């Protein structure tokens, strides 16, 4: 579809989405207060009320439902990394739409019939589980639904079945790499060529590390349970941003402090309106993710606009001695050193003391001079990027505690 055609479709769908949103009590009230007239241009979306995470947390478990419960065929929840989770509902049609989006995303990353797909994430409430599986089946891939298991088991099953495409959380891919580096000959028995990675903040530097160590193409997959799960945007092989499926999602980038729309291509908070959802048609969901819209047609020929690789989540920013720091800034610095294995943790303690712990590859720790050099160069780079003087600790592989789900990058002990 050309730009004009996409926007015409979005406008038509937006009007219908507003009608559906009126069935959600808190949105009905807000829409009434705002007295929104006719939507005559797509930019009129900015007149609509936002939906924020707190609205959905308050609505737990059934308050954001727009259809009778008997029409809901599936319930998922967000991972609830902070406090209570958010429920996400699906009608039969919502599930079909989601499967189609996931199939599209997998195809966009280069997966084809004949590929064998393994999902390494939990397959329960987490949308990255069943969501990916449905999409892979829709595309006609052969699915190995192992689900959550330790890295050793994952790699063993990959080798057994000749898995070519897998889905994982980036920090889990790092754990697989650790396991591979500790074992002899396992890499040679693997046929993996594509990794679909997402569901936690990561960086391009981390991607380069994962691609190199696993000898795969790794693709950033984006979505969130609140707007239906993964399947909102993904990279194509040109890796110049993530294509957003604009026939099904309307995106905006706003100034996070004022809520006002920003100029084209300016960086701000991503806001998503799902255009086709029946069970949970929320409007203008504030994702908390910092990005910008990339205009123009991609080299791959897709006309869906792209968003820049997310710089981080607004809520992930930590204030240290009055300075706002994104963990992704520190991750970039660490991942750019080939001696590191990618695992790190930022520890805040005492009165604003910051300690950055990072693991290095096997064997490196025994070279004291090299450890000192690495420590001082990371110290300098963090100081240049954030103005902060930090304690840098170089640790042997496996010494930073691993978490089962999303990686815990910041441990803040200051308020305890
Ligand atoms: Zn593209």
């Amino acid at each position: 579809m050309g730009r004009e055609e996409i926007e015409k479709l979005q406008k038509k769908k937006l009007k219908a989405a507003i009608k559906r949103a009126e069935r959600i009590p808190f949105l009905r009230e807000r829409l009434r207060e705002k007295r929104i007239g006719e939507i005559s241009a797509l930019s009129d979306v900015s007149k609509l009320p936002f939906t924020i995470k707190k609205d959905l947390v308050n609505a737990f478990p059934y308050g954001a439902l727009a259809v009778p419960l008997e029409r809901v065929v599936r319930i998922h929840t967000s991972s609830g990394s902070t406090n209570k989770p958010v429920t996400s509902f699906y009608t039969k049609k919502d599930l079909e739409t989601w499967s189609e989006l996931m199939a599209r995303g997998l195809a966009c990353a280069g997966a084809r019939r004949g590929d064998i797909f393994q999902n390494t994430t939990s397959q329960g409430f987490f949308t990255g589980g069943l969501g990916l599986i449905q999409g892979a089946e829709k595309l006609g891939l052969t699915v190995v639904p192992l689900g959550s298991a330790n890295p050793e088991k994952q790699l063993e099953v990959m080798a057994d079945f000749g898995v070519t495409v897998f889905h994982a959380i980036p920090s889990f891919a790092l754990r697989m790499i650790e396991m591979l580096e500790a074992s002899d000959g396992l890499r040679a028995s693997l046929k993996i060529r594509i990794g679909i990675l997402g569901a936690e903040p990561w960086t391009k530097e981390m991607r380069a590390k994962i691609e190199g160590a696993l000898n795969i193409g790794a693709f950033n997959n984006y979505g969130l349970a609140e707007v239906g799960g993964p399947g909102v945007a993904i990279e194509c092989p040109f890796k110049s941003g993530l294509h957003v499926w604009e026939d099904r999602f309307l995106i905006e980038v706003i100034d996070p402090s004022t809520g006002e729309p920003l100029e084209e291509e300016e960086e701000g908070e991503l806001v998503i309106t799902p255009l086709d959802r029946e069970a949970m048609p929320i409007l203008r969901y504030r994702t908390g993710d910092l990005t910008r819209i990339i205009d123009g047609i991609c080299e791959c020929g897709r006309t869906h606009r792209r968003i820049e690789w997310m710089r981080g989540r607004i809520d992930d920013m930590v204030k240290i001695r009055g300075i706002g720091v994104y963990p992704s800034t520190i991750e970039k610095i660490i991942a750019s050193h080939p001696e590191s294995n990618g695992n790190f943790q930022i520890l805040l303690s005492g009165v604003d003391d910051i300690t950055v712990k990072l693991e290095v590859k096997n064997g490196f720790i025994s070279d004291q001079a090299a450890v000192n050099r690495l420590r001082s160069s990371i110290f300098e780079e963090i100081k240049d990027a954030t103005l902060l003087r930090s304690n840098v600790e170089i640790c042997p592989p496996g010494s930073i505690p691993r978490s089962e789900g999303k990686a815990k990058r910041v441990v803040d002990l200051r308020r305890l």
Side-chain angles (χ1 to χ4, degrees):
M1 278 189 201
R3 197 70 237 146
E4 220 169 277
E5 209 181 331
I6 289 178
E7 288 183 0
K8 207 172 134 196
L9 179 69
Q10 285 183 320
K11 200 172 102 182
K12 187 175 138 215
K13 285 190 175 185
L14 179 62
K15 289 182 187 177
I18 297 169
K19 286 262 173 312
R20 288 196 301 272
E22 284 169 357
R23 297 186 199 129
I24 299 177
F26 72 84
L27 281 177
R28 180 170 52 236
E29 218 168 281
R30 272 177 221 173
L31 283 164
R32 199 175 291 156
E33 271 166 28
K34 288 215 161 199
R35 285 201 203 101
I36 291 121
E38 181 70 8
I39 295 286
S40 52
L42 209 45
S43 57
D44 287 343
V45 68
S46 63
K47 296 179 190 163
L48 299 174
F50 289 118
T51 304
I52 59 170
K53 180 133 191 167
K54 199 161 161 245
D55 297 326
L56 301 179
V57 169
N58 291 344
F60 184 85
Y62 288 123
L65 190 55
V67 297
L69 187 53
E70 64 193 34
R71 284 195 57 209
V72 173
V73 296
R74 174 96 61 79
I75 293 175
H76 279 280
T77 64
S78 70
S79 50
S81 34
T82 50
N83 55 59
K84 245 186 182 177
V86 164
T87 329
S88 191
F89 307 101
Y90 304 79
T91 62
K92 213 164 224 179
K93 189 168 158 248
D94 289 334
L95 274 193
E96 278 161 24
T97 306
W98 189 20
S99 302
E100 187 236 286
L101 287 170
M102 290 311 313
R104 227 195 259 188
L106 285 160
C108 182
R112 294 289 179 268
R113 189 170 296 210
D115 273 313
I116 302 177
F117 174 80
Q118 182 168 324
N119 193 30
T120 70
T121 69
S122 134
Q123 277 152 206
F125 272 140
F126 177 52
T127 49
L130 289 173
L132 265 291
I133 289 179
Q134 288 156 212
E137 287 175 352
K138 175 106 182 162
L139 186 60
L141 310 186
T142 305
V143 173
V144 181
L146 175 58
S148 51
N150 62 40
E152 197 176 1
K153 180 73 184 166
Q154 298 286 355
L155 289 164
E156 185 193 313
V157 172
M158 283 179 187
D160 286 346
F161 290 98
V163 167
T164 51
V165 181
F166 70 94
H167 170 243
I169 292 175
S171 54
F172 190 80
L174 291 179
R175 292 176 61 194
M176 284 174 27
I177 292 168
E178 263 175 42
M179 189 52 65
L180 269 186
E181 283 171 351
S183 78
D184 284 335
L186 187 53
R187 181 65 195 88
S189 59
L190 291 176
K191 294 201 172 99
I192 46 173
R193 64 183 190 92
I194 293 175
I196 308 291
L197 304 178
E200 73 181 358
W202 61 314
T203 58
K204 287 184 186 170
E205 287 72 12
M206 186 73 84
R207 185 242 293 277
K209 225 173 185 57
I210 292 170
E211 287 188 325
L214 293 176
N215 191 23
I216 58 167
F219 298 86
N220 193 358
N221 184 33
Y222 177 77
L224 52 176
E226 293 84 345
V227 297
V232 173
I234 193 167
E235 289 176 298
C236 71
F238 289 92
K239 294 178 181 164
S240 52
L242 289 75
H243 285 285
V244 178
W245 306 125
E246 291 186 286
D247 54 330
R248 301 211 181 263
F249 298 98
L250 180 61
I251 52 164
E252 303 163 74
V253 171
I254 60 161
D255 179 330
S257 49
T258 64
E260 291 303 314
L262 290 173
E263 291 297 311
E264 195 80 5
E265 307 230 331
E266 253 187 290
E267 188 190 73
E269 179 179 358
L270 181 67
V271 173
I272 302 176
T273 302
L275 295 171
D276 289 307
R277 286 189 93 191
E278 291 184 333
M280 201 173 140
I282 57 173
L283 300 172
R284 304 188 81 204
Y285 185 70
R286 290 185 65 157
T287 64
D289 290 314
L290 284 176
T291 185
R292 65 183 189 92
I293 295 174
I294 303 170
D295 220 351
I297 295 172
C298 179
E299 275 184 90
C300 73
R302 287 180 181 82
T303 52
H304 295 268
R305 285 182 306 173
R306 288 155 291 161
I307 47 174
E308 188 75 73
W309 187 299
M310 275 61 65
R311 190 155 67 92
R313 291 188 50 80
I314 294 162
D315 336 335
D316 286 343
M317 193 187 80
V318 279
K319 275 250 165 128
I320 307 165
R321 294 170 217 160
I323 297 168
V325 178
Y326 286 97
S328 62
T329 307
I330 290 175
E331 180 187 304
K332 269 182 195 203
I333 291 169
I334 291 170
S336 69
H337 289 270
E339 303 88 341
S340 93
N341 70 8
N343 287 302
F344 73 100
Q345 201 159 54
I346 302 164
L347 194 70
L348 304 171
S349 59
V351 186
D352 270 354
D353 287 331
I354 168 171
T355 302
V356 176
K357 289 182 168 188
L358 65 127
E359 288 181 10
V360 284
K361 289 182 179 158
N362 247 335
F364 181 77
I365 208 99
S366 54
D367 183 348
Q368 195 54 50
V371 166
N372 290 342
R373 273 199 303 278
L374 180 64
R375 185 188 298 121
S376 60
S377 92
I378 288 181
F379 172 87
E380 288 300 330
E381 287 170 48
I382 291 175
K383 201 176 75 176
D384 287 348
T386 66
L387 306 173
L388 290 169
R389 301 172 69 84
S390 54
N391 307 309
V392 177
E393 276 182 30
I394 311 286
C395 314
S399 56
I400 295 173
R402 306 292 190 265
S403 44
E404 268 317 308
K406 301 181 184 193
K408 192 164 174 52
R409 295 304 190 198
V410 181
V411 177
D412 194 344
L413 301 173
R414 287 176 301 180
R415 282 173 222 108
L416 292 179

